[in-house]
Amino acid sequence: MATEKTEKKATTKGASKKKRQITPINEENGIIQPIVFTMMRQSYSKIQNRAVVCVVDKLQNVFHDMLNRGIKRFEDIQTSEIINDKGLSIKIGFNEFGVTPNEYPDLRTALKNLAMIPVEIPYKSAEGRMYDRYTNMCDVYIPRDTYSKFVIITIEREVAQRLISMEFGYQNLYKTVVVNNCKNKYAQRMYMICTAWQNKGKVIMRTDEFRKLLAIDNMYPEFRHVRSRVLEPAKKELEELASAEGADCYFDYNLIYLNGRKKGEPDQIEFTIMKSKKNVTDSYVGNLEVIRRNYDEMLRRHFKFTSQESAKYSSRITAENYTQALEKLQTVYMYVNDLNNGIQNAKAYAMRSLDNFFAEKEKAVEV
């Protein structure tokens, strides 16, 4: 009798432990996300991070129009009965957030709080000075009746203009990774960082900047807790997802100490970004001519290149180097517009930088 009871208890315990469900991404098309969303500093929860990606997903037509040099008026970007004539208005169903109906009360609370959490967004004034702008990302409208399972998110024009801007470049990511597969909010944020630098394969961040980016600058005074509660859980989860075809990339990291130190808070963190073994199609690389036109337009708009000058560089864009070429252009753009650097001729500086960049890339290809 005791044995029967023990077996029943063991069976019940085993049945209660559900196997984690991972949604493969091999059948999904990636979405375009302006890198400013990744650079936006915020302390969102896991569900709130999902909300950001859901907003990005709803704006795909806008981003494709921008890459095709189409003009999209904010007045046209209204997908709900709440019309925000000064910005964007987007309707999202609760079933798009990757939660079960039992979790809808928690979802409502997380969405309500989304409107009250401050964010920090890179901002450039008309005079060319770079700022960090502190604001809220959006307003949130939730129906009072509990039978309506949707939320309306509106974003004011000036904030929306910053968020959909392509001047810092854009990246490709998979909505499923953030919305369905990641169970850890730091894994979500690290995935965005990984996809931003995926083709480059490596990025080095100052530790204080990394803390700010993940909104942990006032948390975990001892860095060992940053490793145990932020880096290691995110690293482990993305590795597991990548091996199960539930993510297209993952990362490892190395701590960099300067001035002879070997412990404590590192000065920098070097992230090595690896693609998953599964060959995932980069859907947004398909139209190379669109990417070249976009690059050409940025050169003419931001650096006053002539059509002949911009064509010299845009024609050298390939499916292999375009992400790094965009990152290089972003770096140059931010550098020449920082008044502290004293760049007198932005066009000449950009030309020298791009000449060196493409020469190095083309030399590497030849070898």
Side-chain angles (χ1 to χ4, degrees), residues 153-182:
I153 293 178
T154 67
I155 306 177
E156 292 304 311
R157 178 185 294 269
E158 196 171 348
V159 175
Q161 285 175 331
R162 299 305 307 155
L163 291 177
I164 72 172
S165 169
M166 295 288 188
E167 67 181 359
F168 291 106
Y170 59 92
Q171 64 195 95
N172 179 256
L173 56 82
Y174 289 86
K175 177 184 174 184
T176 291
V177 180
V178 178
V179 174
N180 300 103
N181 290 341
C182 283

Side-chain angles (χ1 to χ4, degrees), residues 6 78 97 126 146 148 161 207 221 225 233 291 309 311 314 323 325 331 354:
T6 303
Q78 312 290 336
F97 287 96
T146 57
S148 298
Q161 285 175 331
T207 305
H225 292 144
I291 294 170
E309 290 167 339
S314 60
T323 298
T331 301
L354 293 177

Side-chain angles (χ1 to χ4, degrees), residues 52-68:
V52 172
V53 174
C54 286
V55 168
V56 171
D57 185 43
K58 294 292 185 181
L59 295 175
Q60 290 304 292
N61 289 337
V62 177
F63 300 145
H64 283 286
D65 285 349
M66 292 173 67
L67 292 177
N68 282 289

Side-chain angles (χ1 to χ4, degrees), residues 167-169 197 200 303 324-338 341 349 353-354:
E167 67 181 359
F168 291 106
W197 280 276
K200 190 172 183 179
F303 298 100
Q324 292 169 282
L326 279 174
E327 289 173 359
K328 182 64 178 180
L329 196 60
Q330 295 155 24
T331 301
V332 172
Y333 177 79
M334 294 176 70
Y335 187 82
V336 300
N337 283 286
D338 188 333
N341 292 325
Y349 182 87
S353 299
L354 293 177

